[in-house]
Amino acid sequence: MIALHVEAPYASFRKSYARSLAETYPFPPPATVYGMLLSFVGEWLRSRHSGVQLAFAYKKQPLVATTLRKLSRYKYGVPSKQSKLGNAPDFIETLCEIEFICWVDSSKESQNRPTLESRLIEAIHYPERVERQGIVSLGLSDDAVNDISLVHPVIGQWHWLTPSEKGQVELPVWIDHVGSIDTRWRRYDFEQNPSIVTAEVAQEKLTAISDPRK
């Protein structure tokens, strides 16, 4: 298991059922963080590291800003609507001051070698070996990441985002980009009181990222 420090100045994670107001999830969804990690190591196949487990702790709860921006409404399969109605200004929520620790555990990956853990370590130490298009973003292409770095030990106090069946926050852990039948969700609790991370992450704090089609 490795721990990564991730920092981004802003990013928007539009809720699946948001319409006129593009509401954002209050935290980066695990599915989005997983996609960012794949981009970081130059992986195109989303299911390549299915089974990896992630855990999250935040420096603080990200702030939410509302801005007026161009909003794309018809992205898939309706070019006529997209050209006439798709791009128009509307209110969009954006998370600001995003800083968190992401733990990556590859012990249960369905494909063993090389693991996502080992590829992340190599990408950090030898970035010239990674082939990717564009910069690493946390979600949309203009939501660039400031920092992804290994941390050991984790210093300071952090707020856990813990999986809980009765949690107040629901986030997607796998997204079906064509339809919605394969989208998977999980509920979380954001711990208001920060704590010092002094040991290995407990199993109950981990989220498995698994392709539901396999």
Side-chain angles (χ1 to χ4, degrees):
M1 182 181 293
I2 60 173
L4 301 174
H5 174 264
V6 181
E7 184 177 352
Y10 58 83
S12 183
F13 311 101
R14 185 178 178 181
K15 290 185 177 180
S16 303
Y17 302 106
R19 291 298 178 260
S20 57
L21 172 62
E23 298 175 88
T24 182
Y25 290 107
F27 302 95
T32 304
V33 176
Y34 174 65
M36 177 199 69
L37 298 177
L38 293 184
S39 173
F40 186 67
V41 301
E43 177 58 57
W44 290 81
L45 183 61
R46 191 154 56 115
S47 61
R48 173 63 181 84
H49 295 288
S50 179
V52 70
Q53 298 181 100
L54 307 179
F56 308 97
Y58 285 79
K59 194 66 176 178
K60 63 178 182 180
Q61 184 163 356
L63 304 174
V64 179
T66 302
T67 57
L68 187 65
R69 296 173 56 188
K70 183 179 72 174
L71 179 63
S72 178
R73 291 179 175 80
Y74 303 99
K75 190 173 183 181
Y76 301 106
V78 281
S80 59
K81 288 185 178 181
Q82 176 64 33
S83 61
K84 296 179 181 179
L85 304 172
N87 294 319
D90 213 329
F91 290 105
I92 297 177
E93 288 187 343
T94 302
L95 292 189
C96 304
E97 300 180 12
I98 304 169
E99 183 180 4
F100 61 96
I101 302 296
C102 175
W103 285 265
V104 182
D105 181 4
S106 290
S107 61
K108 295 184 179 180
E109 282 188 26
S110 55
Q111 300 184 43
N112 294 326
R113 294 291 184 270
T115 65
L116 182 56
E117 275 189 57
S118 61
R119 294 181 69 182
L120 287 166
I121 294 172
E122 182 175 11
I124 290 172
H125 290 312
Y126 306 101
E128 69 279 3
R129 298 179 183 177
V130 179
E131 295 184 6
R132 77 170 67 89
Q133 291 187 352
I135 61 175
V136 178
S137 302
L138 187 58
L140 301 176
S141 58
D142 55 348
D143 298 337
V145 174
N146 276 353
D147 177 61
I148 300 179
S149 57
L150 288 167
V151 287
H152 182 73
V154 178
I155 299 174
Q157 295 188 329
W158 300 82
H159 301 260
W160 286 103
L161 188 66
T162 305
S164 171
E165 292 184 0
K166 299 181 179 180
Q168 297 181 345
V169 180
E170 187 176 50
L171 300 171
V173 298
W174 187 274
I175 297 177
D176 186 343
H177 292 287
V178 178
S180 60
I181 190 171
D182 289 323
T183 297
R184 296 293 183 267
W185 306 79
R186 194 161 187 184
R187 303 195 73 86
Y188 293 85
D189 273 328
F190 180 71
E191 298 182 5
Q192 296 297 328
N193 296 322
S195 58
I196 297 176
V197 180
T198 59
E200 287 290 316
V201 178
Q203 184 64 36
E204 60 266 21
K205 295 188 181 298
L206 292 168
T207 296
I209 309 296
S210 300
D211 188 344
R213 299 166 298 180
K214 293 188 175 181

